[in-house]
Every structure is written in C-alpha cells, then in structure tokens.
Amino acid sequence: APQAVGGIIFGKTRPTPKPIQFIDRVRAQVTAATDTSVGTITLAEKAKMITGVFGVLCQDNVLTTVEELLGNFRLASDDVKLPPAEFPFDNAFSGGLGATIFTPTNSSPVIIPVNIPVEGGARIDCFVDLNTAVTNAADVEIFVHYI
C-alpha cells in the first residue's frame, strides 16, 4: 500500500532559507523499525542557530519483497531546547521487488529550513524511525547546517 511521511514546522514565523555556513553529518546503518540512534553532532563553538536539516535514506543492497522503505528522523538535545523536531527524509531510495539498486538516481537535496537558536558547542542527538524493519541494513545520513 502507498505510504507517505510528512512534518509540520512550529514557530512564530516561517523559517527562511539561509546560506550554508557550517554543516555536519552523522550516518549509520539501520535495520529496526524503532526509534534508533544514528549519532550525535557537536556544533562548532561559534554556532548561533540551526538553519536547516535534511536526511538521506538508502537501501543499497538486494532488497526483500514487502520492505518498501520510508521513515523520518528527529533531533533531540540536552543542551538546547528544541521544538518538536521530527522531519521526513529528503531522499529515500528503495524498492520492494527484490531488485538491486546500488546506484539509484538521486535528486539534489532539498534542505528543510528551520530557525532554531542554539549555544555554541551544543550536542544534537539524531534518531531515525523506519516504517518497516529491513533484512539488509539501510544507510541513514542526517545533515544539520547552522550559522
């Protein structure tokens, strides 16, 4: 059955895209359909605001039937107050027919604009939640850019 992932951005004003000054990434391979830690990003000491996020989800091995892959990622922190921070993956590559897709055609990333004030050196924990458990691990990458 078709599946979709979406999100809502909270705040007093609509976030506007800003140039990328710093960008950090965490990545992991995940098989479980539960909230799973991907890693922790430690922002630079000069950081003042998270201005965008995006994630890539890719099943890059032989796929098992009925394992169509979707999911979302979220951010959490003990150092700064984050609004509800759960986002859909910008790019999610998979197939449910048992086909090999080592080099999927991808699109340019679409950065989700956010305006989240932070303190320099803050630690941002990144998590992923897949819609289904997968036999062969899915590659997850989460990017956070900030000024």
Side-chain angles (χ1 to χ4, degrees):
Q3 296 184 35
V5 176
I8 297 173
I9 296 177
F10 294 86
K12 295 178 183 178
T13 61
R14 174 186 280 176
T16 56
K18 294 179 176 52
I20 296 173
Q21 186 169 4
F22 302 105
I23 190 164
D24 286 321
R25 167 192 77 136
V26 291
R27 71 181 297 269
Q29 291 191 322
V30 179
T31 58
T34 60
D35 197 39
T36 304
S37 175
V38 175
T40 300
I41 293 173
T42 302
L43 302 178
E45 290 296 326
K46 296 179 181 181
K48 293 182 176 73
M49 179 179 293
I50 295 174
T51 57
V53 297
F54 70 95
V56 177
L57 177 61
C58 182
Q59 181 77 350
D60 65 353
N61 209 330
V62 175
L63 304 174
T64 304
T65 303
V66 194
E67 288 186 3
E68 293 85 358
L69 192 59
L70 277 177
N72 53 49
F73 66 94
R74 72 177 178 89
L75 308 178
S77 179
D78 291 333
D79 297 333
V80 296
K81 182 179 178 177
L82 291 173
E86 192 167 316
F87 306 95
F89 281 96
D90 173 54
N91 289 325
F93 304 106
S94 72
L97 304 174
T100 302
I101 56 167
F102 284 104
T103 54
T105 302
N106 60 355
S107 60
S108 298
V110 176
I111 297 168
I112 300 169
V114 295
N115 292 333
I116 303 172
V118 295
E119 298 174 11
R123 295 170 48 91
I124 308 296
D125 300 313
C126 302
F127 299 87
V128 63
D129 191 3
L130 302 179
N131 66 324
T132 186
V134 291
T135 305
N136 295 309
D139 290 324
V140 174
E141 292 182 283
I142 298 170
F143 297 81
V144 173
H145 73 80
Y146 54 96
I147 56 174

